[in-house]
Amino acid sequence: QQSSSTNPQLFSVISLLTLPYPPTSPSPAPFEHLDFQMTYQDYLTRSHIVPLQTIQALLPLFRITPARLREAGAMFGGKQSIIICLPATDARVGVPYASAQAMSAAATARGAEVLRREIGQAARFSGKQRDMRVVLVDVGAVGSVGSPSCDVDVYGDAVKGWTATEQSIYAAPYVNYMEGVHGQSSRHPTSVNRFVRRIVN
């Protein structure tokens, strides 16, 4: 939100960059098979480093004068907000065969927690930024999610690029786990409209 002053001043930031776009996420695979130099490094940059760099660049815009803070209070309830949305299973659980997603989300969550504590320290010792809050939101599936195929050939093709020892150790439990995950239907995605309303509220 830009104020009426000459310089833009931020009252709230909602980060959705931390929710990875599924087609760009690494394919499910054992941790042992993860390519750290190429696959993980690229994913970590997109899902962890870039979002936090964006928030870092915007932080100075939150430092507004008392008069502008009163304006923010009138418009937005008195609190400045940084809201970071994270995929719940990646950030809090770390499911098998999704090590890249889990490590990136956990790192982002830790960075946000450190920022929250630093802002809290600043509020206690200097009285500054006492009306700023950093919020982590665990997000499940949002929007329409198709039904992935449970054909064993899909997972059989996935393991062909693994080494012989990786296949001997992980192939059977991998196929079993992936079929089980894609066969579950107890949880349904939330509509985008409902998700947006919850975050904005």
Side-chain angles (χ1 to χ4, degrees), residues 57-72:
L58 293 173
L59 278 171
L61 298 178
F62 279 97
R63 300 191 186 104
I64 59 180
T65 63
R68 292 301 178 194
L69 193 58
R70 286 192 295 274
E71 179 184 332

Side-chain angles (χ1 to χ4, degrees), residues 15-155:
S15 175
L16 301 179
L17 290 173
T18 42
L19 292 176
Y21 183 52
T24 65
S25 297
S27 299
F31 173 85
E32 184 177 340
H33 184 72
L34 179 62
D35 182 348
F36 276 87
Q37 289 298 317
M38 298 295 293
T39 303
Y40 182 60
Q41 190 168 347
D42 178 64
Y43 181 77
L44 184 70
T45 298
R46 287 185 284 104
S47 63
H48 169 65
I49 295 174
V50 169
L52 292 189
Q53 281 180 323
T54 302
I55 291 171
Q56 186 183 55
L58 293 173
L59 278 171
L61 298 178
F62 279 97
R63 300 191 186 104
I64 59 180
T65 63
R68 292 301 178 194
L69 193 58
R70 286 192 295 274
E71 179 184 332
M75 295 173 68
F76 302 106
K79 288 282 188 180
Q80 297 171 295
S81 302
I82 298 172
I83 302 172
I84 300 173
C85 299
L86 290 170
T89 54
D90 296 334
R92 304 301 174 187
V93 181
V95 298
Y97 313 114
S99 54
Q101 293 89 330
M103 292 185 294
S104 173
T108 303
R110 183 55 53 88
E113 289 165 0
V114 169
L115 175 61
R116 180 195 293 135
R117 291 188 177 100
E118 290 175 352
I119 289 172
Q121 291 275 323
R124 283 194 296 275
F125 284 93
S126 67
K128 296 178 180 178
Q129 293 187 310
R130 63 179 179 271
D131 291 316
M132 183 184 292
R133 60 185 175 184
V134 178
V135 180
L136 288 175
V137 178
D138 292 336
V139 180
V142 177
S144 59
V145 177
S147 299
S149 171
C150 294
D151 187 350
V152 69
D153 290 339
V154 173
Y155 307 117

